[in-house]
Amino acid sequence: LIKSGRIIDPYQWLDFIGDLWLQNGVVKGLEKYIDVPQQTQVVDARGLVVCPGFIDIHCHLREPGDQDKETIATGAAAAARGGFSAVCAMPNTRPPIDSVDMVVILLDKAREEGVVRVLPIGCITKGREGGVLVDMHALAQAGVIAFSDDGSPVADDGLMRQALMQAASLRLPIINHCENPVISAGGVMNDGAIAARLGLKGWPASAEEMMVARDIALAEATGGLLHLAHLSTAGSVDMVRRAKERGISVTAEATPHHLTITEEWVMTTPSHQRPYNTNAKVNPPLRTQRDVDALVIGLADGVIDCIATDHAPHTSSDKDRTFEEAAFGISGLETALGSLMSLVHSGRLDIATLVERLTAGPARVLNRPDLCPATLKPGSPADVTIFNPDAE
């Protein structure tokens, strides 16, 4: 029995102080007060938020191929510490998740070592090379819950159109990495005054926005389910807003780092040896305060459907280099809630909306209630997160 917590269940539009009763891995009861048998274990949740387990629709577990950076076991453990009961593993592993055999290997490993649900995302193209589509029907039957070449965009317009059409027949989303590689080529941080001051090649907002515009147009033409990964610019938010107003099947995510910090973090270096912090090198790059503000507003009003960590861990040697040489990516599973609560404490986002964007929001994008119920409704799997909203 989880007793006297603030129950927030966005799926049921519930927000009240009450009790949650779990039995044999299933929600047994949800009421203001529940009288349970004497032998029941009781957890005092006074002052704590009790909600469905968070769902991360976009993370990198690095296995197979880069186990020195992360494994399914360590990634799942980090997810649990961060409040996530389900994580969707991107397929840019080595080898990539582009075949039934690779999906089976990942699922078997997840069953053996994953302390949370690990759901595989399959590649869009073979080898993530952007040339030939994978067998989407076979991968869907094997258990993938979406398709993405994340880390690389599907640059070929005709191929992206085919992918949207095939995935639409399976009712699975295409998650595209929003980047025009011709525009971004060689860029390592946001194109602007700070990049110029540091002598680093800039990455314009237009590189993202051109791909977002193309994908929205193709989604409208095909009726496919398009999900836009890691939005970072005000222009992208505006295009998604207008697309939804026109009834196009498009959803979008934003990351904790793009919602809370700006390009100025590149200069918050922990040492005096270099004028920059390579931990702040991410793809897409951290943007301006104007972009952050637009993302937060889009998250608050539902234009951005969910928060995804884009957890991308690296070894210290990957980051302890010049900014140009350092790897793109930031670890986010354990710090997501802490950073996002800054939006709540500053009054920019209410806590019920934050919980929704971490639970029901991603569950809606995936549309797999059998795997991600994202509710505390009696009879549902007991995927539960409890946190102190005032803890540092």
Side-chain angles (χ1 to χ4, degrees):
L1 184 71
I2 301 169
K3 191 167 185 61
S4 302
R6 180 180 175 182
I7 308 286
I8 300 179
D9 184 346
Y11 181 84
Q12 299 187 83
W13 296 90
L14 296 178
D15 188 346
F16 69 100
I17 304 299
D19 297 351
L20 176 66
W21 185 16
L22 312 177
Q23 191 174 68
N24 298 323
V26 175
V27 176
K28 182 76 171 177
L30 179 64
E31 302 287 346
K32 288 189 175 181
Y33 175 80
I34 300 176
D35 191 15
V36 295
Q38 279 192 337
Q39 66 270 26
T40 302
Q41 179 186 356
V42 177
V43 175
D44 184 355
R46 283 176 295 182
L48 308 180
V49 172
V50 180
C51 65
F54 302 157
I55 300 168
D56 187 9
I57 201 172
H58 183 154
C59 73
H60 301 271
L61 299 184
R62 302 302 192 198
E63 189 176 8
D66 285 303
Q67 288 91 323
D68 55 333
K69 300 180 181 184
E70 186 80 282
T71 65
I72 289 173
T74 62
R81 285 182 175 272
F84 293 90
S85 62
V87 292
C88 301
M90 280 294 177
N92 57 336
T93 51
R94 295 187 298 167
I97 312 301
D98 63 355
S99 67
V100 169
D101 287 345
M102 289 305 303
V103 175
V104 170
I105 289 170
L106 189 149
L107 287 172
D108 287 346
K109 192 82 170 175
R111 273 190 289 268
E112 293 171 6
E113 301 180 3
V115 294
V116 300
R117 301 175 194 273
V118 178
L119 310 176
I121 296 172
C123 293
I124 297 174
T125 64
K126 292 182 179 179
R128 292 179 52 254
E129 295 175 352
V132 180
L133 290 181
V134 298
D135 185 340
M136 289 187 169
H137 286 79
L139 292 187
Q141 288 183 335
V144 305
I145 47 84
F147 299 97
S148 180
D149 277 357
D150 189 61
S152 301
V154 179
D156 185 283
D157 300 346
L159 201 65
M160 183 62 170
R161 182 177 181 275
Q162 291 179 45
L164 283 164
M165 292 174 66
Q166 286 199 29
S169 68
L170 300 167
R171 304 308 296 164
L172 294 178
I174 292 287
I175 304 175
N176 200 24
H177 176 101
C178 302
E179 177 189 349
N180 183 315
V182 175
I183 304 298
S184 65
V188 293
M189 68 168 294
N190 184 54
D191 189 32
I194 294 177
R197 186 188 315 167
L198 294 173
L200 298 173
K201 190 173 188 313
W203 181 324
S206 58
E208 174 175 309
E209 292 162 4
M210 288 177 68
M211 188 61 75
V212 168
R214 184 209 70 170
D215 287 351
I216 288 173
L218 289 175
E220 184 174 26
T222 61
L225 303 176
L226 172 67
H227 181 73
L228 299 171
H230 44 52
L231 293 189
S232 71
T233 77
S236 293
V237 176
D238 183 57
M239 282 187 281
V240 173
R241 187 185 304 278
R242 286 185 277 119
K244 289 191 170 188
E245 289 171 352
R246 299 204 311 273
I248 301 173
S249 294
V250 57
T251 55
E253 69 189 37
T255 72
H257 45 283
H258 288 114
L259 287 161
T260 58
I261 59 179
T262 70
E263 60 182 349
E264 293 183 2
W265 277 67
V266 171
M267 297 190 297
T268 57
T269 175
S271 74
H272 298 293
Q273 296 178 349
R274 291 175 178 152
Y276 46 70
N277 183 355
T278 56
N279 289 319
K281 184 181 180 183
V282 290
N283 181 348
L286 299 173
R287 302 288 187 183
T288 67
Q289 188 62 54
R290 174 178 171 270
D291 295 306
V292 171
D293 292 343
L295 289 168
V296 173
I297 292 169
L299 185 71
D301 63 20
V303 170
I304 296 174
D305 301 80
C306 61
I307 297 165
T309 68
D310 196 6
H311 173 75
H314 289 286
T315 62
S316 56
S317 61
D318 290 328
K319 286 290 193 178
D320 189 19
R321 302 183 179 196
T322 67
F323 207 88
E324 291 90 343
E325 295 171 330
F328 288 99
I330 192 169
S331 297
L333 284 169
E334 292 180 78
T335 57
L337 178 63
S339 61
L340 292 164
M341 282 301 296
S342 68
L343 300 176
V344 175
H345 290 302
S346 65
R348 306 192 69 194
L349 198 68
D350 67 80
I351 196 167
T353 300
L354 175 59
V355 169
E356 199 281 341
R357 304 297 188 261
L358 287 165
T359 58
R364 247 189 341 270
V365 173
L366 296 174
N367 194 28
R368 288 295 302 270
D370 54 325
L371 297 174
C372 300
T375 180
L376 302 177
K377 186 177 181 180
S380 299
D383 290 3
V384 182
T385 289
I386 308 172
F387 67 91
N388 181 347
D390 297 315
E392 184 175 324

